[in-house]
Amino acid sequence: MNQTVVNLWPLLGVAVIIAGFVLRAHPVLVVIAACFVTGFAAAMPVEQLLATLGAAFVKTRNLPMILLLPIAAIGLLERHGLKEHAQASIARIKSATTGRLLIAYLAIRELAAAFGLTSIGGHPNMVRPLIAPMAEGAAEVRYPNVTMEMRYRIRAMAAATDNVGLFFGEDIFVAFGAIVLMQTILRGEGLEVDPLHMALWGIPTAICAFIIHSWRLYRLDRYLARSAA
């Protein structure tokens, strides 16, 4: 019986990536070093390794523009007072509290993710420039002596709200990758499951997540009131 010997030395590239991130090295240098280590471990000729890296760069050359342009636009808006305008806007709403604002964002984020609109939101393009400053502004209206500890708690809950809304909302979307993966695994085991049926079963979980996190945000308002007092 013939047995194929698997070369495991190319997995050294994974070790290089782990070591690079542990040492907080530059991500680009870490990835390039991992590519070279993997290529040499797989006994690839230098010419073929360089050609592979060049082809991969050409295929993804537009990706940095897609990622960097929104960040540059957000930075330009922040320089011209985006945070200040957001805080001033929420300060005009007397009934707004930090918890109520984040509950509203949680509902919007979860519903948008349920329809596959996962790009509506996110930490760099929504939480940091808009949601967190608005939440802090709502706290400053009610409690003028907002401490840095309170601000850190507000920012952390704003980021957590975005995570919860996205994570449990996208499970309802029928074309979500996790649902397709589960259907493929179940089909391999001889179980035919409708993706729509699987997505519908994500609705009770999303509702429970919304209720639980809303309760946490309600407790955030009580924490802010106690800390300010």
Tab-separated table of all heavy atoms in Angstrom, residues 141-172:
chain	number	residue	atom	x	y	z
A	141	VAL	N	-24.042	65.546	29.053
A	141	VAL	CA	-25.214	66.400	29.273
A	141	VAL	C	-25.807	66.148	30.663
A	141	VAL	O	-26.208	67.077	31.364
A	141	VAL	CB	-26.260	66.143	28.173
A	141	VAL	CG1	-27.562	66.857	28.493
A	141	VAL	CG2	-25.721	66.620	26.833
A	142	ARG	N	-25.868	64.898	31.069
A	142	ARG	CA	-26.469	64.537	32.353
A	142	ARG	C	-25.479	64.612	33.511
A	142	ARG	O	-25.863	64.918	34.634
A	142	ARG	CB	-27.062	63.125	32.274
A	142	ARG	CG	-28.266	63.041	31.350
A	142	ARG	CD	-28.807	61.628	31.259
A	142	ARG	NE	-30.020	61.603	30.464
A	142	ARG	CZ	-31.247	61.720	30.959
A	142	ARG	NH1	-31.427	61.869	32.259
A	142	ARG	NH2	-32.305	61.697	30.160
A	143	TYR	N	-24.220	64.294	33.214
A	143	TYR	CA	-23.215	64.255	34.273
A	143	TYR	C	-22.008	65.075	33.820
A	143	TYR	O	-21.156	64.567	33.089
A	143	TYR	CB	-22.783	62.808	34.562
A	143	TYR	CG	-23.946	61.836	34.597
A	143	TYR	CD1	-24.088	60.880	33.589
A	143	TYR	CD2	-24.902	61.888	35.600
A	143	TYR	CE1	-25.141	59.993	33.602
A	143	TYR	CE2	-25.964	61.009	35.612
A	143	TYR	CZ	-26.085	60.062	34.612
A	143	TYR	OH	-27.130	59.201	34.623
A	144	PRO	N	-21.928	66.341	34.228
A	144	PRO	CA	-20.813	67.189	33.774
A	144	PRO	C	-19.448	66.684	34.226
A	144	PRO	O	-18.442	66.945	33.558
A	144	PRO	CB	-21.137	68.545	34.407
A	144	PRO	CG	-22.613	68.507	34.680
A	144	PRO	CD	-22.912	67.087	35.021
A	145	ASN	N	-19.390	65.964	35.344
A	145	ASN	CA	-18.095	65.492	35.861
A	145	ASN	C	-17.815	64.062	35.410
A	145	ASN	O	-17.639	63.148	36.226
A	145	ASN	CB	-18.081	65.574	37.384
A	145	ASN	CG	-19.260	64.839	38.013
A	145	ASN	OD1	-20.258	64.597	37.351
A	145	ASN	ND2	-19.123	64.478	39.273
A	146	VAL	N	-17.774	63.849	34.105
A	146	VAL	CA	-17.493	62.532	33.551
A	146	VAL	C	-15.998	62.243	33.687
A	146	VAL	O	-15.163	63.001	33.189
A	146	VAL	CB	-17.929	62.442	32.073
A	146	VAL	CG1	-17.580	61.079	31.495
A	146	VAL	CG2	-19.410	62.706	31.946
A	147	THR	N	-15.662	61.162	34.356
A	147	THR	CA	-14.265	60.793	34.564
A	147	THR	C	-13.753	59.968	33.390
A	147	THR	O	-14.523	59.486	32.550
A	147	THR	CB	-14.122	59.995	35.866
A	147	THR	OG1	-14.856	58.765	35.742
A	147	THR	CG2	-14.659	60.782	37.048
A	148	MET	N	-12.437	59.779	33.353
A	148	MET	CA	-11.844	58.978	32.290
A	148	MET	C	-12.270	57.520	32.406
A	148	MET	O	-12.437	56.836	31.393
A	148	MET	CB	-10.317	59.083	32.335
A	148	MET	CG	-9.774	60.416	31.852
A	148	MET	SD	-10.360	60.874	30.191
A	148	MET	CE	-9.761	59.493	29.231
A	149	GLU	N	-12.448	57.029	33.625
A	149	GLU	CA	-12.918	55.651	33.787
A	149	GLU	C	-14.302	55.481	33.182
A	149	GLU	O	-14.592	54.466	32.524
A	149	GLU	CB	-12.949	55.293	35.272
A	149	GLU	CG	-13.398	53.866	35.536
A	149	GLU	CD	-13.442	53.529	37.010
A	149	GLU	OE1	-13.034	54.387	37.820
A	149	GLU	OE2	-13.888	52.409	37.352
A	150	MET	N	-15.164	56.471	33.378
A	150	MET	CA	-16.497	56.412	32.782
A	150	MET	C	-16.404	56.469	31.262
A	150	MET	O	-17.148	55.776	30.564
A	150	MET	CB	-17.355	57.558	33.328
A	150	MET	CG	-17.618	57.474	34.828
A	150	MET	SD	-18.308	59.000	35.521
A	150	MET	CE	-19.874	59.104	34.668
A	151	ARG	N	-15.510	57.291	30.752
A	151	ARG	CA	-15.354	57.395	29.291
A	151	ARG	C	-14.874	56.073	28.706
A	151	ARG	O	-15.346	55.647	27.652
A	151	ARG	CB	-14.371	58.517	28.947
A	151	ARG	CG	-14.873	59.909	29.283
A	151	ARG	CD	-13.897	60.972	28.825
A	151	ARG	NE	-14.315	62.293	29.242
A	151	ARG	CZ	-15.185	63.054	28.586
A	151	ARG	NH1	-15.716	62.601	27.455
A	151	ARG	NH2	-15.519	64.243	29.032
A	152	TYR	N	-13.921	55.429	29.372
A	152	TYR	CA	-13.432	54.143	28.878
A	152	TYR	C	-14.540	53.095	28.891
A	152	TYR	O	-14.640	52.262	27.990
A	152	TYR	CB	-12.245	53.681	29.720
A	152	TYR	CG	-10.994	54.488	29.506
A	152	TYR	CD1	-10.104	54.732	30.556
A	152	TYR	CD2	-10.689	55.022	28.258
A	152	TYR	CE1	-8.956	55.487	30.358
A	152	TYR	CE2	-9.553	55.775	28.050
A	152	TYR	CZ	-8.678	56.003	29.103
A	152	TYR	OH	-7.544	56.747	28.895
A	153	ARG	N	-15.376	53.118	29.931
A	153	ARG	CA	-16.484	52.165	29.987
A	153	ARG	C	-17.476	52.431	28.852
A	153	ARG	O	-17.979	51.474	28.229
A	153	ARG	CB	-17.182	52.280	31.345
A	153	ARG	CG	-18.393	51.374	31.517
A	153	ARG	CD	-17.980	49.925	31.576
A	153	ARG	NE	-17.235	49.636	32.784
A	153	ARG	CZ	-17.798	49.272	33.939
A	153	ARG	NH1	-19.108	49.164	34.029
A	153	ARG	NH2	-17.046	49.001	34.982
A	154	ILE	N	-17.756	53.678	28.571
A	154	ILE	CA	-18.679	54.019	27.474
A	154	ILE	C	-18.112	53.562	26.139
A	154	ILE	O	-18.820	52.973	25.308
A	154	ILE	CB	-18.962	55.534	27.474
A	154	ILE	CG1	-19.757	55.931	28.713
A	154	ILE	CG2	-19.716	55.940	26.209
A	154	ILE	CD1	-19.900	57.432	28.886
A	155	ARG	N	-16.838	53.820	25.903
A	155	ARG	CA	-16.228	53.424	24.639
A	155	ARG	C	-16.217	51.906	24.479
A	155	ARG	O	-16.464	51.379	23.384
A	155	ARG	CB	-14.801	53.970	24.570
A	155	ARG	CG	-14.737	55.495	24.524
A	155	ARG	CD	-13.317	55.999	24.716
A	155	ARG	NE	-13.278	57.449	24.837
A	155	ARG	CZ	-12.175	58.146	25.124
A	155	ARG	NH1	-11.026	57.502	25.298
A	155	ARG	NH2	-12.228	59.456	25.233
A	156	ALA	N	-15.926	51.212	25.577
A	156	ALA	CA	-15.917	49.749	25.509
A	156	ALA	C	-17.311	49.201	25.204
A	156	ALA	O	-17.464	48.273	24.394
A	156	ALA	CB	-15.402	49.176	26.829
A	157	MET	N	-18.340	49.775	25.818
A	157	MET	CA	-19.693	49.308	25.560
A	157	MET	C	-20.150	49.668	24.159
A	157	MET	O	-20.927	48.925	23.537
A	157	MET	CB	-20.651	49.893	26.599
A	157	MET	CG	-20.473	49.323	27.992
A	157	MET	SD	-20.729	47.530	28.062
A	157	MET	CE	-22.488	47.452	27.770
A	158	ALA	N	-19.682	50.789	23.625
A	158	ALA	CA	-20.011	51.139	22.235
A	158	ALA	C	-19.417	50.119	21.271
A	158	ALA	O	-20.080	49.680	20.323
A	158	ALA	CB	-19.509	52.550	21.921
A	159	ALA	N	-18.164	49.732	21.514
A	159	ALA	CA	-17.539	48.714	20.663
A	159	ALA	C	-18.222	47.358	20.825
A	159	ALA	O	-18.445	46.642	19.848
A	159	ALA	CB	-16.051	48.600	21.009
A	160	ALA	N	-18.592	47.016	22.067
A	160	ALA	CA	-19.277	45.745	22.301
A	160	ALA	C	-20.643	45.723	21.632
A	160	ALA	O	-21.079	44.687	21.119
A	160	ALA	CB	-19.422	45.500	23.803
A	161	THR	N	-21.330	46.848	21.631
A	161	THR	CA	-22.639	46.928	20.982
A	161	THR	C	-22.526	46.651	19.490
A	161	THR	O	-23.350	45.930	18.910
A	161	THR	CB	-23.261	48.316	21.214
A	161	THR	OG1	-23.414	48.528	22.619
A	161	THR	CG2	-24.608	48.430	20.534
A	162	ASP	N	-21.508	47.190	18.861
A	162	ASP	CA	-21.298	46.927	17.441
A	162	ASP	C	-21.009	45.447	17.206
A	162	ASP	O	-21.531	44.847	16.261
A	162	ASP	CB	-20.135	47.783	16.933
A	162	ASP	CG	-19.947	47.663	15.433
A	162	ASP	OD1	-20.578	48.431	14.693
A	162	ASP	OD2	-19.167	46.793	14.998
A	163	ASN	N	-20.196	44.850	18.073
A	163	ASN	CA	-19.861	43.425	17.914
A	163	ASN	C	-21.101	42.539	18.056
A	163	ASN	O	-21.323	41.621	17.263
A	163	ASN	CB	-18.812	43.022	18.947
A	163	ASN	CG	-17.455	43.625	18.659
A	163	ASN	OD1	-17.180	44.047	17.538
A	163	ASN	ND2	-16.608	43.693	19.659
A	164	VAL	N	-21.896	42.801	19.089
A	164	VAL	CA	-23.081	41.976	19.343
A	164	VAL	C	-24.078	42.103	18.193
A	164	VAL	O	-24.631	41.109	17.703
A	164	VAL	CB	-23.726	42.369	20.687
A	164	VAL	CG1	-25.075	41.670	20.866
A	164	VAL	CG2	-22.803	42.017	21.843
A	165	GLY	N	-24.321	43.330	17.748
A	165	GLY	CA	-25.275	43.532	16.663
A	165	GLY	C	-24.846	42.840	15.383
A	165	GLY	O	-25.667	42.220	14.696
A	166	LEU	N	-23.568	42.921	15.056
A	166	LEU	CA	-23.077	42.284	13.830
A	166	LEU	C	-23.081	40.766	13.952
A	166	LEU	O	-23.541	40.058	13.053
A	166	LEU	CB	-21.665	42.786	13.526
A	166	LEU	CG	-20.949	42.113	12.356
A	166	LEU	CD1	-21.687	42.379	11.050
A	166	LEU	CD2	-19.505	42.577	12.260
A	167	PHE	N	-22.574	40.248	15.071
A	167	PHE	CA	-22.384	38.807	15.226
A	167	PHE	C	-23.720	38.061	15.175
A	167	PHE	O	-23.860	37.056	14.475
A	167	PHE	CB	-21.662	38.521	16.538
A	167	PHE	CG	-21.307	37.076	16.729
A	167	PHE	CD1	-20.153	36.552	16.183
A	167	PHE	CD2	-22.139	36.239	17.440
A	167	PHE	CE1	-19.826	35.215	16.347
A	167	PHE	CE2	-21.826	34.899	17.618
A	167	PHE	CZ	-20.668	34.391	17.066
A	168	PHE	N	-24.700	38.548	15.916
A	168	PHE	CA	-25.970	37.833	15.976
A	168	PHE	C	-26.924	38.242	14.859
A	168	PHE	O	-27.842	37.492	14.531
A	168	PHE	CB	-26.631	38.062	17.339
A	168	PHE	CG	-25.898	37.409	18.469
A	168	PHE	CD1	-25.016	38.133	19.247
A	168	PHE	CD2	-26.069	36.071	18.740
A	168	PHE	CE1	-24.321	37.537	20.293
A	168	PHE	CE2	-25.382	35.454	19.776
A	168	PHE	CZ	-24.505	36.193	20.561
A	169	GLY	N	-26.719	39.411	14.269
A	169	GLY	CA	-27.570	39.815	13.170
A	169	GLY	C	-27.256	39.099	11.876
A	169	GLY	O	-28.159	38.690	11.131
A	170	GLU	N	-25.958	38.888	11.601
A	170	GLU	CA	-25.598	38.259	10.333
A	170	GLU	C	-25.933	36.768	10.316
A	170	GLU	O	-25.968	36.161	9.246
A	170	GLU	CB	-24.112	38.467	10.056
A	170	GLU	CG	-23.182	37.817	11.060
A	170	GLU	CD	-21.732	38.161	10.792
A	170	GLU	OE1	-21.482	38.904	9.818
A	170	GLU	OE2	-20.851	37.709	11.551
A	171	ASP	N	-26.182	36.170	11.489
A	171	ASP	CA	-26.594	34.757	11.501
A	171	ASP	C	-27.975	34.561	10.884
A	171	ASP	O	-28.340	33.429	10.545
A	171	ASP	CB	-26.602	34.228	12.941
A	171	ASP	CG	-25.192	33.986	13.450
A	171	ASP	OD1	-24.286	33.906	12.613
A	171	ASP	OD2	-24.998	33.895	14.678
A	172	ILE	N	-28.750	35.640	10.759
A	172	ILE	CA	-30.086	35.536	10.162
A	172	ILE	C	-30.005	35.619	8.642
A	172	ILE	O	-30.920	35.160	7.937
A	172	ILE	CB	-31.005	36.648	10.726
A	172	ILE	CG1	-30.997	36.603	12.261
A	172	ILE	CG2	-32.426	36.512	10.217
A	172	ILE	CD1	-31.747	37.747	12.900
